[in-house]
Amino acid sequence: MFKLHPVLEKDTVAVASLALSRVLLMNDARFPWLILVPQREGMREIHKLSRADQTQLMTEAMRASEILEALFAPDKINIGALGNLVEQLHVHVIARFTTDAAWPGPVWGYGTAEPYAPDELERVRSRLVEDFG
C-alpha cells in the first residue's frame, strides 16, 4: 500500500491525485513549487517504473509545468528528481524567476523555507486544485 514519505508530508500541502501521482505544493512561498509523487510503493528511480508509468509521469510533469506557467508566468520551469534526502521517488516542478533569491542556482539547500501565510497558502492551493481539477 502506498504511503507518502514523512518529510514530504511535513513540507507540503496536498493539491490533487492524478492517474499516477499525488500532486503536492511545497510550503515555501519563495518559489511556486510542485512535487509529483508516483503512487508506487518502494519506488526510488524513474527508470524502474514500468514504461507506461514513465510515460504517465512525464505527461503529468508537463501538465504541472503548464499549470505553473499559466498561473505564475515564470522565466523558466525546472524539473528534477534527486532523491538524495528523501528516497521515495518524487519529481520537483518549480517555477523560477530571474529575480528569485536562488537564481540562477538550484533551489535545493538555498536559505530557509518561508512558509506561505495561511490565507495565501489557501489561495494558491485553491487555484492549483481548480486547474488540476
Side-chain angles (χ1 to χ4, degrees):
M1 185 165 149
F2 176 81
K3 185 170 165 81
L4 188 61
H5 191 282
V7 171
L8 293 174
E9 195 158 353
K10 176 180 74 66
D11 293 345
T12 65
V13 177
V15 171
S17 266
L18 304 178
L20 175 65
S21 304
R22 277 195 203 168
V23 180
L24 310 170
L25 171 64
M26 180 66 90
N27 192 7
D28 187 348
R30 299 173 303 159
F31 313 103
W33 183 343
L34 297 175
I35 297 176
L36 305 178
V37 185
Q39 297 180 89
R40 299 292 185 260
E41 189 59 39
M43 195 57 57
R44 294 181 62 154
E45 304 293 345
I46 293 171
H47 68 272
K48 296 204 176 178
L49 290 169
S50 70
R51 293 282 185 227
D53 282 352
Q54 290 173 21
T55 300
Q56 184 63 36
L57 180 58
M58 185 57 62
T59 298
E60 292 174 355
M62 294 310 100
R63 183 172 176 203
S65 298
E66 291 165 351
I67 288 170
L68 286 177
E69 193 170 70
L71 290 178
F72 298 101
D75 298 307
K76 178 75 175 89
I77 298 286
N78 290 169
I79 298 176
L82 291 114
N84 297 353
L85 298 175
V86 174
E87 65 277 359
Q88 182 175 46
L89 177 58
H90 60 288
V91 174
H92 301 266
V93 183
I94 310 164
R96 298 295 310 275
F97 302 88
T98 57
T99 56
D100 75 43
W103 186 268
V107 298
W108 295 281
Y110 183 87
T112 303
E114 296 174 13
Y116 286 94
D119 58 327
E120 180 66 4
L121 178 62
E122 188 49 38
R123 186 185 72 75
V124 170
R125 184 186 168 281
S126 293
R127 288 173 62 190
L128 291 166
V129 166
E130 183 178 315
D131 285 355
F132 276 101

